[in-house]
PDB file of all heavy atoms in Angstrom:
ATOM      1  N   MET X 242      12.978 147.841  73.660  1.00  0.00           N
ATOM      2  CA  MET X 242      13.289 147.687  75.081  1.00  0.00           C
ATOM      3  C   MET X 242      13.801 146.274  75.345  1.00  0.00           C
ATOM      4  O   MET X 242      13.498 145.336  74.610  1.00  0.00           O
ATOM      5  CB  MET X 242      12.066 147.963  75.959  1.00  0.00           C
ATOM      6  CG  MET X 242      11.016 146.870  75.952  1.00  0.00           C
ATOM      7  SD  MET X 242       9.774 146.990  77.288  1.00  0.00           S
ATOM      8  CE  MET X 242      10.720 146.474  78.728  1.00  0.00           C
ATOM      9  N   HIS X 243      14.583 146.146  76.402  1.00  0.00           N
ATOM     10  CA  HIS X 243      15.024 144.830  76.854  1.00  0.00           C
ATOM     11  C   HIS X 243      13.925 144.249  77.735  1.00  0.00           C
ATOM     12  O   HIS X 243      13.921 144.425  78.950  1.00  0.00           O
ATOM     13  CB  HIS X 243      16.357 144.935  77.596  1.00  0.00           C
ATOM     14  CG  HIS X 243      17.535 144.894  76.682  1.00  0.00           C
ATOM     15  ND1 HIS X 243      17.878 143.769  75.971  1.00  0.00           N
ATOM     16  CD2 HIS X 243      18.435 145.840  76.342  1.00  0.00           C
ATOM     17  CE1 HIS X 243      18.947 144.014  75.245  1.00  0.00           C
ATOM     18  NE2 HIS X 243      19.308 145.262  75.445  1.00  0.00           N
ATOM     19  N   ALA X 244      13.013 143.532  77.089  1.00  0.00           N
ATOM     20  CA  ALA X 244      11.872 142.955  77.786  1.00  0.00           C
ATOM     21  C   ALA X 244      12.019 141.454  77.972  1.00  0.00           C
ATOM     22  O   ALA X 244      11.043 140.759  78.232  1.00  0.00           O
ATOM     23  CB  ALA X 244      10.587 143.254  77.008  1.00  0.00           C
ATOM     24  N   CYS X 245      13.255 140.946  77.830  1.00  0.00           N
ATOM     25  CA  CYS X 245      13.461 139.508  77.997  1.00  0.00           C
ATOM     26  C   CYS X 245      14.750 139.190  78.747  1.00  0.00           C
ATOM     27  O   CYS X 245      15.121 138.026  78.887  1.00  0.00           O
ATOM     28  CB  CYS X 245      13.453 138.820  76.642  1.00  0.00           C
ATOM     29  SG  CYS X 245      13.109 137.043  76.731  1.00  0.00           S
ATOM     30  N   GLY X 246      15.470 140.210  79.211  1.00  0.00           N
ATOM     31  CA  GLY X 246      16.650 139.965  80.023  1.00  0.00           C
ATOM     32  C   GLY X 246      17.948 139.807  79.266  1.00  0.00           C
ATOM     33  O   GLY X 246      18.975 139.472  79.856  1.00  0.00           O
ATOM     34  N   HIS X 247      17.948 140.064  77.951  1.00  0.00           N
ATOM     35  CA  HIS X 247      19.170 139.847  77.188  1.00  0.00           C
ATOM     36  C   HIS X 247      20.266 140.850  77.549  1.00  0.00           C
ATOM     37  O   HIS X 247      21.448 140.570  77.321  1.00  0.00           O
ATOM     38  CB  HIS X 247      18.887 139.906  75.688  1.00  0.00           C
ATOM     39  CG  HIS X 247      17.932 138.854  75.205  1.00  0.00           C
ATOM     40  ND1 HIS X 247      17.652 138.644  73.868  1.00  0.00           N
ATOM     41  CD2 HIS X 247      17.190 137.937  75.884  1.00  0.00           C
ATOM     42  CE1 HIS X 247      16.775 137.666  73.749  1.00  0.00           C
ATOM     43  NE2 HIS X 247      16.468 137.232  74.955  1.00  0.00           N
ATOM     44  N   ASP X 248      19.887 142.012  78.082  1.00  0.00           N
ATOM     45  CA  ASP X 248      20.902 142.928  78.597  1.00  0.00           C
ATOM     46  C   ASP X 248      21.663 142.273  79.743  1.00  0.00           C
ATOM     47  O   ASP X 248      22.895 142.373  79.838  1.00  0.00           O
ATOM     48  CB  ASP X 248      20.281 144.253  79.037  1.00  0.00           C
ATOM     49  CG  ASP X 248      19.060 144.082  79.939  1.00  0.00           C
ATOM     50  OD1 ASP X 248      18.483 142.977  80.031  1.00  0.00           O
ATOM     51  OD2 ASP X 248      18.668 145.082  80.591  1.00  0.00           O
ATOM     52  N   GLY X 249      20.933 141.552  80.611  1.00  0.00           N
ATOM     53  CA  GLY X 249      21.573 140.812  81.693  1.00  0.00           C
ATOM     54  C   GLY X 249      22.399 139.650  81.184  1.00  0.00           C
ATOM     55  O   GLY X 249      23.466 139.344  81.720  1.00  0.00           O
ATOM     56  N   HIS X 250      21.939 138.982  80.120  1.00  0.00           N
ATOM     57  CA  HIS X 250      22.701 137.880  79.549  1.00  0.00           C
ATOM     58  C   HIS X 250      24.046 138.372  79.026  1.00  0.00           C
ATOM     59  O   HIS X 250      25.094 137.760  79.276  1.00  0.00           O
ATOM     60  CB  HIS X 250      21.931 137.229  78.395  1.00  0.00           C
ATOM     61  CG  HIS X 250      20.593 136.700  78.768  1.00  0.00           C
ATOM     62  ND1 HIS X 250      19.699 136.215  77.843  1.00  0.00           N
ATOM     63  CD2 HIS X 250      19.980 136.570  79.971  1.00  0.00           C
ATOM     64  CE1 HIS X 250      18.597 135.811  78.448  1.00  0.00           C
ATOM     65  NE2 HIS X 250      18.747 136.038  79.746  1.00  0.00           N
ATOM     66  N   THR X 251      24.009 139.478  78.282  1.00  0.00           N
ATOM     67  CA  THR X 251      25.249 140.043  77.745  1.00  0.00           C
ATOM     68  C   THR X 251      26.195 140.429  78.865  1.00  0.00           C
ATOM     69  O   THR X 251      27.413 140.189  78.788  1.00  0.00           O
ATOM     70  CB  THR X 251      24.934 141.258  76.864  1.00  0.00           C
ATOM     71  OG1 THR X 251      23.994 140.885  75.850  1.00  0.00           O
ATOM     72  CG2 THR X 251      26.184 141.805  76.200  1.00  0.00           C
ATOM     73  N   ALA X 252      25.643 141.015  79.917  1.00  0.00           N
ATOM     74  CA  ALA X 252      26.467 141.385  81.069  1.00  0.00           C
ATOM     75  C   ALA X 252      27.089 140.151  81.712  1.00  0.00           C
ATOM     76  O   ALA X 252      28.265 140.179  82.131  1.00  0.00           O
ATOM     77  CB  ALA X 252      25.628 142.154  82.085  1.00  0.00           C
ATOM     78  N   ILE X 253      26.350 139.060  81.799  1.00  0.00           N
ATOM     79  CA  ILE X 253      26.897 137.830  82.365  1.00  0.00           C
ATOM     80  C   ILE X 253      28.043 137.307  81.493  1.00  0.00           C
ATOM     81  O   ILE X 253      29.090 136.889  82.004  1.00  0.00           O
ATOM     82  CB  ILE X 253      25.798 136.766  82.529  1.00  0.00           C
ATOM     83  CG1 ILE X 253      24.867 137.157  83.689  1.00  0.00           C
ATOM     84  CG2 ILE X 253      26.403 135.384  82.779  1.00  0.00           C
ATOM     85  CD1 ILE X 253      23.640 136.279  83.823  1.00  0.00           C
ATOM     86  N   GLY X 254      27.868 137.336  80.176  1.00  0.00           N
ATOM     87  CA  GLY X 254      28.936 136.883  79.288  1.00  0.00           C
ATOM     88  C   GLY X 254      30.216 137.661  79.503  1.00  0.00           C
ATOM     89  O   GLY X 254      31.311 137.076  79.607  1.00  0.00           O
ATOM     90  N   LEU X 255      30.099 138.986  79.581  1.00  0.00           N
ATOM     91  CA  LEU X 255      31.276 139.806  79.844  1.00  0.00           C
ATOM     92  C   LEU X 255      31.807 139.556  81.249  1.00  0.00           C
ATOM     93  O   LEU X 255      33.027 139.508  81.481  1.00  0.00           O
ATOM     94  CB  LEU X 255      30.922 141.286  79.662  1.00  0.00           C
ATOM     95  CG  LEU X 255      32.067 142.288  79.797  1.00  0.00           C
ATOM     96  CD1 LEU X 255      33.164 142.004  78.793  1.00  0.00           C
ATOM     97  CD2 LEU X 255      31.541 143.713  79.636  1.00  0.00           C
ATOM     98  N   GLY X 256      30.897 139.371  82.201  1.00  0.00           N
ATOM     99  CA  GLY X 256      31.300 139.120  83.584  1.00  0.00           C
ATOM    100  C   GLY X 256      32.064 137.823  83.749  1.00  0.00           C
ATOM    101  O   GLY X 256      32.984 137.726  84.585  1.00  0.00           O
ATOM    102  N   VAL X 257      31.732 136.809  82.959  1.00  0.00           N
ATOM    103  CA  VAL X 257      32.484 135.544  83.012  1.00  0.00           C
ATOM    104  C   VAL X 257      33.927 135.780  82.595  1.00  0.00           C
ATOM    105  O   VAL X 257      34.866 135.261  83.220  1.00  0.00           O
ATOM    106  CB  VAL X 257      31.804 134.485  82.112  1.00  0.00           C
ATOM    107  CG1 VAL X 257      32.707 133.271  81.916  1.00  0.00           C
ATOM    108  CG2 VAL X 257      30.471 134.062  82.717  1.00  0.00           C
ATOM    109  N   ALA X 258      34.126 136.567  81.539  1.00  0.00           N
ATOM    110  CA  ALA X 258      35.497 136.886  81.112  1.00  0.00           C
ATOM    111  C   ALA X 258      36.246 137.614  82.222  1.00  0.00           C
ATOM    112  O   ALA X 258      37.417 137.311  82.513  1.00  0.00           O
ATOM    113  CB  ALA X 258      35.461 137.741  79.843  1.00  0.00           C
ATOM    114  N   ARG X 259      35.609 138.573  82.854  1.00  0.00           N
ATOM    115  CA  ARG X 259      36.250 139.299  83.951  1.00  0.00           C
ATOM    116  C   ARG X 259      36.603 138.362  85.100  1.00  0.00           C
ATOM    117  O   ARG X 259      37.702 138.421  85.666  1.00  0.00           O
ATOM    118  CB  ARG X 259      35.329 140.411  84.458  1.00  0.00           C
ATOM    119  CG  ARG X 259      35.139 141.582  83.511  1.00  0.00           C
ATOM    120  CD  ARG X 259      34.306 142.671  84.184  1.00  0.00           C
ATOM    121  NE  ARG X 259      34.045 143.793  83.297  1.00  0.00           N
ATOM    122  CZ  ARG X 259      33.406 144.897  83.658  1.00  0.00           C
ATOM    123  NH1 ARG X 259      32.944 145.003  84.912  1.00  0.00           N
ATOM    124  NH2 ARG X 259      33.207 145.879  82.796  1.00  0.00           N
ATOM    125  N   GLU X 260      35.659 137.495  85.461  1.00  0.00           N
ATOM    126  CA  GLU X 260      35.864 136.625  86.616  1.00  0.00           C
ATOM    127  C   GLU X 260      36.994 135.627  86.367  1.00  0.00           C
ATOM    128  O   GLU X 260      37.846 135.394  87.236  1.00  0.00           O
ATOM    129  CB  GLU X 260      34.565 135.883  86.933  1.00  0.00           C
ATOM    130  CG  GLU X 260      34.453 135.386  88.377  1.00  0.00           C
ATOM    131  CD  GLU X 260      35.171 134.069  88.596  1.00  0.00           C
ATOM    132  OE1 GLU X 260      35.475 133.375  87.605  1.00  0.00           O
ATOM    133  OE2 GLU X 260      35.441 133.715  89.752  1.00  0.00           O
ATOM    134  N   LEU X 261      37.034 135.041  85.190  1.00  0.00           N
ATOM    135  CA  LEU X 261      38.090 134.085  84.883  1.00  0.00           C
ATOM    136  C   LEU X 261      39.454 134.764  84.833  1.00  0.00           C
ATOM    137  O   LEU X 261      40.454 134.210  85.295  1.00  0.00           O
ATOM    138  CB  LEU X 261      37.791 133.368  83.569  1.00  0.00           C
ATOM    139  CG  LEU X 261      36.608 132.395  83.610  1.00  0.00           C
ATOM    140  CD1 LEU X 261      36.295 131.870  82.211  1.00  0.00           C
ATOM    141  CD2 LEU X 261      36.865 131.242  84.567  1.00  0.00           C
ATOM    142  N   ASP X 262      39.516 135.961  84.290  1.00  0.00           N
ATOM    143  CA  ASP X 262      40.778 136.702  84.281  1.00  0.00           C
ATOM    144  C   ASP X 262      41.231 137.054  85.693  1.00  0.00           C
ATOM    145  O   ASP X 262      42.416 136.983  86.025  1.00  0.00           O
ATOM    146  CB  ASP X 262      40.628 137.990  83.467  1.00  0.00           C
ATOM    147  CG  ASP X 262      40.748 137.749  81.969  1.00  0.00           C
ATOM    148  OD1 ASP X 262      40.933 136.583  81.567  1.00  0.00           O
ATOM    149  OD2 ASP X 262      40.642 138.727  81.205  1.00  0.00           O
ATOM    150  N   ARG X 263      40.273 137.429  86.521  1.00  0.00           N
ATOM    151  CA  ARG X 263      40.600 137.880  87.880  1.00  0.00           C
ATOM    152  C   ARG X 263      41.033 136.727  88.773  1.00  0.00           C
ATOM    153  O   ARG X 263      41.896 136.891  89.649  1.00  0.00           O
ATOM    154  CB  ARG X 263      39.369 138.586  88.474  1.00  0.00           C
ATOM    155  CG  ARG X 263      39.590 139.179  89.863  1.00  0.00           C
ATOM    156  CD  ARG X 263      38.416 140.044  90.287  1.00  0.00           C
ATOM    157  NE  ARG X 263      37.160 139.314  90.282  1.00  0.00           N
ATOM    158  CZ  ARG X 263      36.149 139.555  89.451  1.00  0.00           C
ATOM    159  NH1 ARG X 263      36.252 140.499  88.529  1.00  0.00           N
ATOM    160  NH2 ARG X 263      35.032 138.855  89.524  1.00  0.00           N
ATOM    161  N   ASN X 264      40.472 135.551  88.556  1.00  0.00           N
ATOM    162  CA  ASN X 264      40.696 134.438  89.485  1.00  0.00           C
ATOM    163  C   ASN X 264      41.416 133.245  88.858  1.00  0.00           C
ATOM    164  O   ASN X 264      41.164 132.095  89.198  1.00  0.00           O
ATOM    165  CB  ASN X 264      39.360 133.990  90.082  1.00  0.00           C
ATOM    166  CG  ASN X 264      38.762 135.061  90.987  1.00  0.00           C
ATOM    167  OD1 ASN X 264      39.471 135.651  91.788  1.00  0.00           O
ATOM    168  ND2 ASN X 264      37.470 135.302  90.842  1.00  0.00           N
ATOM    169  N   GLY X 265      42.280 133.539  87.914  1.00  0.00           N
ATOM    170  CA  GLY X 265      43.199 132.506  87.451  1.00  0.00           C
ATOM    171  C   GLY X 265      42.743 131.672  86.296  1.00  0.00           C
ATOM    172  O   GLY X 265      43.454 130.757  85.870  1.00  0.00           O
ATOM    173  N   GLY X 266      41.581 131.943  85.743  1.00  0.00           N
ATOM    174  CA  GLY X 266      41.138 131.225  84.567  1.00  0.00           C
ATOM    175  C   GLY X 266      40.940 129.745  84.805  1.00  0.00           C
ATOM    176  O   GLY X 266      40.465 129.310  85.860  1.00  0.00           O
ATOM    177  N   PHE X 267      41.336 128.921  83.832  1.00  0.00           N
ATOM    178  CA  PHE X 267      41.203 127.475  83.904  1.00  0.00           C
ATOM    179  C   PHE X 267      42.155 126.911  82.857  1.00  0.00           C
ATOM    180  O   PHE X 267      42.844 127.654  82.155  1.00  0.00           O
ATOM    181  CB  PHE X 267      39.755 127.048  83.637  1.00  0.00           C
ATOM    182  CG  PHE X 267      39.277 127.350  82.236  1.00  0.00           C
ATOM    183  CD1 PHE X 267      39.166 126.335  81.288  1.00  0.00           C
ATOM    184  CD2 PHE X 267      38.947 128.646  81.851  1.00  0.00           C
ATOM    185  CE1 PHE X 267      38.741 126.609  79.994  1.00  0.00           C
ATOM    186  CE2 PHE X 267      38.521 128.922  80.564  1.00  0.00           C
ATOM    187  CZ  PHE X 267      38.410 127.905  79.627  1.00  0.00           C
ATOM    188  N   ASP X 268      42.223 125.632  82.728  1.00  0.00           N
ATOM    189  CA  ASP X 268      43.097 125.029  81.729  1.00  0.00           C
ATOM    190  C   ASP X 268      42.261 124.630  80.513  1.00  0.00           C
ATOM    191  O   ASP X 268      41.648 123.558  80.483  1.00  0.00           O
ATOM    192  CB  ASP X 268      43.805 123.802  82.317  1.00  0.00           C
ATOM    193  CG  ASP X 268      44.795 123.199  81.325  1.00  0.00           C
ATOM    194  OD1 ASP X 268      45.179 123.912  80.374  1.00  0.00           O
ATOM    195  OD2 ASP X 268      45.175 122.026  81.502  1.00  0.00           O
TER     196      ASP X 268
END
């Protein structure tokens, strides 16, 4: 079971990629 939040961590990692792609990334 995910008893330490790593499912949420993985989701955040993927979410960062989505957010940067959606809002122009960075240099």
Side-chain angles (χ1 to χ4, degrees):
M242 74 166 286
H243 274 293
C245 201
H247 298 187
D248 49 345
H250 302 173
T251 305
I253 288 172
L255 184 59
V257 168
R259 290 185 183 184
E260 203 278 343
L261 291 173
D262 279 1
R263 183 171 58 247
N264 293 316
F267 65 104
D268 184 19

